[in-house]
Amino acid sequence: MLQAERQTLILEQLKLKGRVYAADLAAQLGVSEDTVRRDLNRLGETKLLRRVHGGALPLQLDVPDYADRLESRNPGKQKRAEAALAFIEPGMTLLLDSGETCRYLAMALPRDMPLTVVTTCPLIACELVHHDRVEVILLGGRFFKPALRCVGSGAAEMIRRMHFDLCFMGLCALHPQRGFSAKYYEEAEIMRITIEQADKTVIMGDRDHLGTVSHHQVVPARDLDVLITDSGADASVLEALAEQGVEIVPV
Amino acid sequence: MLQAERQTLILEQLKLKGRVYAADLAAQLGVSEDTVRRDLNRLGETKLLRRVHGGALPLQLDVPDYADRLESRNPGKQKRAEAALAFIEPGMTLLLDSGETCRYLAMALPRDMPLTVVTTCPLIACELVHHDRVEVILLGGRFFKPALRCVGSGAAEMIRRMHFDLCFMGLCALHPQRGFSAKYYEEAEIMRITIEQADKTVIMGDRDHLGTVSHHQVVPARDLDVLITDSGADASVLEALAEQGVEIVPV
DNA sequence: TAGAATTCGGCATAAACACGCAAAAACCGG
DNA sequence: CCGGTTTTTGCGTGTTTATGCCGAATTCTA
């Protein structure tokens, strides 16, 4: 049996059962435990599974819900938001996705620049109350609390009738091969539609989310235009993304 | 069962039930209490739960100012909001209009009552984030900042397709002859449509707004059902309103 | 304050792991 | 085809980790 074949089987098994044991796999695949361990370690390094003592678990990047994250101030997000400002020009129509990163961007927007900001996140709308020259369009629908955003057909319909110069999103999980993914099905759908309507999509997020996979794919990596991330991010992942046409902006 | 898997289960259980006992977990997971304790201690060290004698609790930095805000700010609005609760029954679909009074009502809603709340005000939507049994529908559209609400054809259309058991509104101006009126044209229109779709309309406001007139009429007084106001309000105005079929609730 | 439940620390055991080594297989350039 | 290189794999050794058990210390509760 080929190594790659074996690793594929391991991943399938993992997906099927939700967990795999090194010892079981060794017996089942007819190789030594060392070999299985080496396979598991490699798959873990490339972020295709979560290696744990005794076996492996599916990757579930447990992003804490937005509602729980609101309070903490985060200098990294602040910096990425400031870097994102460079893409914005007066008169543009922006979409700000839900997420803390985008909230920082909303707060960082210059108050004297005329802009139209579209968002599904009520919190972001509230942040922009004192930006007198920013027109805010709030996309309504069912309020999906874990992600603090509106989802559903109402919001989707409204987005399909719009067009954005720029679309900004926080980074949940981005993997060179497995694309940009989100934690919840509901938000993944809205995000996908949003990206379709935008001239340019800018993603912001730190190294911890790079090379990871979450539950629902939004779009493949090549559909993204710019990634603003911290300079300490894994070079090989950045390179792989750059090859797919993503402009990397380190801060 | 893998260690990491077990710890994930513990966290899930915790989120679900709000507390876990070491002894129960040991029996349930088929491991010794020592093992469970070690798991709990580790999860506690990494700040994923709050370790307590006998088990663990979720660590929720739960909105500490919640109670304070209700007590201190505006006792009048608080009282009227509490009086309004009497009209609400489990399972109802409510419309909460924009305005501080309605925000108080949102905060005062019981957390364990299943409800659907529809609102045009993003701030109210955010207040309801921690009410797990309350489904929130946010009506989108252009965000009209002076009134902190969404207006426009989008919101109006959505409202026309809905039906509310109860509609709550703060009181801008109410005059027995000249009706219920609002400051801005945009909001008056939305409010009128809203009242049309509601079985019952409840208005909350203190004496200062009674007997006054603002710029844009919403509906005549007879279209209102309940007025919750303070007991010191002008008796002649209240009487005139009562004659038009408005139930007066003094607090 | 006494008794019960819980926790802590040390210890033993078995499983899982890392590391180096060597054999076998696959690969590669000429 | 052939010599050299790389990759893969399995094995042995020593280390680390996970777990359960036990007694002592601590904390809760009535």
Side-chain angles (χ1 to χ4, degrees):
Chain A
M1 176 174 306
L2 299 168
Q3 187 188 44
E5 190 182 354
R6 201 173 51 226
Q7 295 183 359
T8 305
L9 282 175
I10 291 175
L11 286 176
E12 271 177 27
Q13 188 95 15
L14 185 60
K15 196 163 188 178
L16 200 67
K17 306 220 176 159
R19 99 205 63 134
V20 287
Y21 302 99
D24 288 0
L25 287 172
Q28 190 182 327
L29 299 171
V31 291
S32 76
E33 287 195 32
D34 293 74
T35 300
V36 170
R37 265 197 283 279
R38 276 187 275 247
D39 284 340
L40 291 177
N41 287 339
R42 256 175 233 179
L43 293 169
E45 279 161 21
T46 48
K47 304 282 175 63
L48 291 169
L49 50 71
R50 176 160 149 249
R51 180 74 166 102
V52 296
H53 193 93
L57 292 171
L59 266 194
Q60 44 187 24
L61 178 64
D62 257 58
V63 184
D65 286 340
Y66 188 9
D68 300 330
R69 280 180 296 174
L70 288 179
E71 297 304 325
S72 54
R73 211 171 307 148
N74 186 323
K77 294 189 180 194
Q78 177 68 31
K79 277 194 174 176
R80 288 191 286 279
E82 280 162 15
L85 289 179
F87 293 90
I88 301 173
E89 287 166 29
M92 278 186 166
T93 293
L94 319 177
L95 184 129
L96 292 197
D97 195 54
S98 170
E100 211 186 351
T101 309
C102 287
R103 212 175 108 241
Y104 275 84
L105 178 54
M107 289 189 283
L109 285 178
R111 297 197 168 199
D112 57 351
M113 191 187 282
L115 289 169
T116 300
V117 170
V118 183
T119 185
T120 59
C121 174
L123 210 58
I124 287 178
C126 293
E127 295 288 355
L128 291 169
V129 161
H130 297 295
H131 287 70
D132 293 337
R133 307 195 62 185
V134 176
E135 166 116 43
V136 178
I137 310 283
L138 187 58
L139 301 174
R142 188 166 70 82
F143 184 38
F144 183 61
K145 294 175 187 177
L148 274 188
R149 71 155 86 217
C150 294
V151 298
S153 60
E157 249 176 66
M158 286 179 78
I159 293 173
R160 282 209 188 83
R161 288 199 296 254
M162 304 180 100
H163 169 260
F164 314 113
D165 296 305
L166 281 171
C167 155
F168 292 95
M169 290 188 172
L171 179 47
C172 177
L174 178 57
H175 189 281
Q177 274 75 55
R178 303 181 60 182
F180 181 35
S181 53
K183 187 173 178 188
Y184 301 102
Y185 176 76
E186 290 93 334
E187 55 174 352
E189 192 184 0
I190 290 282
M191 288 162 85
R192 190 179 313 118
I193 299 171
T194 302
I195 291 173
E196 279 170 13
Q197 301 303 112
D199 278 351
K200 191 171 203 171
T201 300
V202 180
I203 305 289
M204 300 169 281
D206 66 21
R207 71 187 84 174
D208 294 340
H209 299 115
L210 288 177
T212 65
V213 180
S214 192
H215 303 291
H216 303 280
Q217 197 195 65
V218 179
V219 291
R222 64 175 174 280
D223 287 3
L224 306 176
D225 298 290
V226 179
L227 168 65
I228 299 176
T229 188
D230 51 337
S231 38
D234 186 337
S236 65
V237 173
L238 293 183
E239 203 175 312
L241 290 168
E243 272 174 24
Q244 298 195 45
V246 181
E247 177 188 346
I248 310 291
V249 179
V251 295
Chain B
M1 176 173 310
L2 298 166
Q3 188 190 46
E5 195 184 354
R6 201 174 50 227
Q7 295 181 359
T8 305
L9 282 175
I10 291 175
L11 287 176
E12 270 177 28
Q13 189 97 18
L14 186 60
K15 194 163 188 178
L16 201 67
K17 305 216 175 160
R19 89 199 81 118
V20 287
Y21 301 99
D24 288 358
L25 286 173
Q28 190 182 326
L29 299 170
V31 291
S32 76
E33 287 194 34
D34 294 76
T35 300
V36 169
R37 263 196 286 280
R38 275 188 273 248
D39 283 340
L40 291 177
N41 287 339
R42 254 177 231 183
L43 293 169
E45 280 163 21
T46 48
K47 306 282 191 225
L48 290 169
L49 49 72
R50 191 157 74 88
R51 181 76 167 97
V52 294
H53 195 92
L57 293 171
L59 41 85
Q60 52 187 20
L61 325 146
D62 222 13
V63 205
D65 58 343
Y66 174 65
D68 299 343
R69 269 192 324 205
L70 287 183
E71 299 295 328
S72 64
R73 290 260 176 113
N74 189 324
K77 292 189 182 194
Q78 173 63 24
K79 277 193 173 176
R80 289 191 287 279
E82 279 165 14
L85 290 179
F87 293 90
I88 301 173
E89 286 167 31
M92 277 187 165
T93 294
L94 318 177
L95 184 128
L96 292 197
D97 196 54
S98 169
E100 209 185 349
T101 308
C102 287
R103 222 175 97 236
Y104 273 85
L105 177 54
M107 289 188 283
L109 285 178
R111 296 196 168 203
D112 57 351
M113 190 186 283
L115 290 170
T116 302
V117 170
V118 183
T119 185
T120 59
C121 173
L123 213 55
I124 287 179
C126 293
E127 294 289 356
L128 291 169
V129 161
H130 294 295
H131 287 69
D132 292 337
R133 307 195 59 186
V134 175
E135 165 115 46
V136 178
I137 310 283
L138 188 57
L139 301 173
R142 191 167 67 83
F143 185 38
F144 183 60
K145 293 175 188 176
L148 273 186
R149 72 155 87 218
C150 294
V151 297
S153 59
E157 246 176 70
M158 284 179 78
I159 293 173
R160 283 207 188 84
R161 288 198 294 254
M162 304 181 96
H163 170 258
F164 315 112
D165 296 306
L166 281 170
C167 155
F168 292 94
M169 288 188 174
L171 180 47
C172 178
L174 177 56
H175 188 279
Q177 277 72 54
R178 303 184 58 185
F180 181 36
S181 53
K183 189 169 179 190
Y184 300 100
Y185 175 77
E186 289 93 335
E187 55 173 353
E189 192 183 359
I190 290 283
M191 288 162 84
R192 188 178 315 121
I193 299 169
T194 302
I195 292 174
E196 280 170 14
Q197 301 303 113
D199 278 353
K200 192 172 202 169
T201 300
V202 180
I203 305 291
M204 300 169 283
D206 65 18
R207 72 187 83 171
D208 295 341
H209 299 109
L210 288 177
T212 65
V213 180
S214 191
H215 299 96
H216 304 278
Q217 196 194 64
V218 179
V219 291
R222 65 176 174 279
D223 286 2
L224 306 177
D225 298 289
V226 180
L227 168 65
I228 299 175
T229 187
D230 52 334
S231 40
D234 186 334
S236 64
V237 173
L238 293 184
E239 203 174 315
L241 289 168
E243 274 174 24
Q244 296 194 47
V246 181
E247 178 188 347
I248 310 293
V249 179
V251 295

